[in-house]
Amino acid sequence: MTAKSAFPAVPQRLGLYPVVDSVAWIARLLEAGVRTIQLRIKDKRDEEIEADVIAAIRLGERFEARLFINDYWRLAVKHRAYGVHLGQEDLDVADLDAIRAAGLRLGLSTHDNMEMDRALAARPSYIALGHVFPTNTKQMPSSPQGLEQLAAHIKVLGDYPTVAIGGISIDRVPAVLATGVGSVAVVSAITQSADWRAATAQLLELAGAGDE
Ligand SMILES: Cc1ncc(COP(=O)(O)OP(=O)(O)O)c(N)n1
Ligand SMILES: Cc1ncsc1CCOP(=O)(O)O
Ligand SMILES: [Mg+2]
């Protein structure tokens, strides 16, 4: 896949990509060396999370990290986040032109071929593919795509920046990376770990912090 993104580029390898629900997590993971990260707070009004979005963006800037805001694209644009992550339903309502005009990177979720085609038409900065394995973190309407399907999708996408998500535990990371995907996004592998520092260090060792 050689089509260039219509949004600012991200490195082809985003490396370890924790997806977390608080500024406290953003701060401790950036301190620990993470350089690609997402603030994912669900089901709040913009006014309720604006201060958190601002604080997360500031931290991202301070650590020269790639900080994506999930869902809340208006706040991300208003406060100039590094990027926004959107799902397929978000595509129905989000103003992609406004996100592009503000110079933000865009990541889009996909779960199958049809969604990949729809996402590619928007020419985002990266494509996320999931869920790879069963996950307890989010209720998913579809079945896990598994490693074979993930590898097939990565092959089609060629050098397009890609992110795998869903049920990725530390022991599964080598097999996920073997598909050629540029990044592994994780929630519970870090936030539900008995020792998040050790888990993060191990994940960084395996997946890296992403290309400069
Ligand atoms: C890196 C990454 N990939 C996928 C998702 C899921 O986004 P979405 O489908 O919009 O679902 P919600 O996260 O909004 O529940 C993600 N957040 N990050
Ligand atoms: C937000 C999201 N989107 C697809 S799977 C998922 C949750 C991933 O969480 P975990 O890494 O704990 O399986
Ligand atoms: Mg979403």
Side-chain angles (χ1 to χ4, degrees):
M1 183 76 40
T2 49
K4 277 190 70 177
S5 104
F7 291 80
V10 296
Q12 202 192 337
R13 302 204 159 267
L14 287 168
L16 175 64
Y17 184 175
V19 173
V20 295
D21 63 1
S22 71
V23 175
W25 270 116
I26 301 267
R28 57 176 82 108
L29 291 172
L30 292 177
E31 293 274 3
V34 165
R35 288 296 172 266
T36 308
I37 194 160
Q38 180 185 128
L39 180 66
R40 176 177 181 266
I41 297 176
K42 298 300 290 184
D43 305 325
K44 300 269 191 210
R45 284 179 287 111
D46 280 23
E47 312 81 84
E48 291 178 276
I49 71 151
E50 185 159 11
D52 284 352
V53 167
I54 294 169
I57 292 171
R58 296 262 155 79
L59 279 165
E61 287 166 355
R62 171 137 69 87
F63 284 88
E64 297 183 17
R66 296 171 283 263
L67 183 281
F68 289 86
I69 300 294
N70 185 51
D71 291 350
Y72 291 87
W73 60 271
R74 283 189 189 81
L75 291 176
V77 166
K78 181 175 174 188
H79 299 292
R80 296 286 190 270
Y82 175 87
V84 181
H85 184 93
L86 297 177
Q88 295 278 320
E89 318 77 53
D90 308 312
L91 273 181
D92 299 331
V93 292
D95 184 347
L96 298 192
D97 289 339
I99 297 169
R100 188 189 303 106
L104 274 59
R105 288 87 186 159
L106 176 69
L108 291 179
S109 298
T110 69
H111 304 91
D112 54 34
N113 287 326
M114 218 173 69
E115 291 188 0
M116 257 173 49
D117 287 348
R118 187 175 182 219
L120 281 169
R123 294 161 63 211
S125 309
Y126 73 76
I127 299 264
L129 304 110
H131 52 312
V132 183
F133 304 106
T135 175
N136 292 322
T137 304
K138 175 179 160 83
Q139 280 221 318
M140 303 298 297
S142 51
S143 306
Q145 56 179 270
L147 285 170
E148 257 182 54
Q149 188 68 249
L150 176 67
H153 284 149
I154 299 296
K155 205 168 165 193
V156 170
L157 290 169
D159 56 7
Y160 215 99
T162 50
V163 177
I165 188 167
I168 303 178
S169 52
I170 292 175
D171 52 323
R172 284 169 164 160
V173 168
V176 173
L177 290 174
T179 65
V181 75
S183 171
V184 286
V186 300
V187 180
S188 53
I190 289 176
T191 61
Q192 301 300 310
S193 167
D195 183 347
W196 70 265
R197 276 181 201 284
T200 303
Q202 240 184 304
L203 286 161
L204 278 171
E205 185 71 31
L206 289 166
D211 299 336
E212 287 304 313

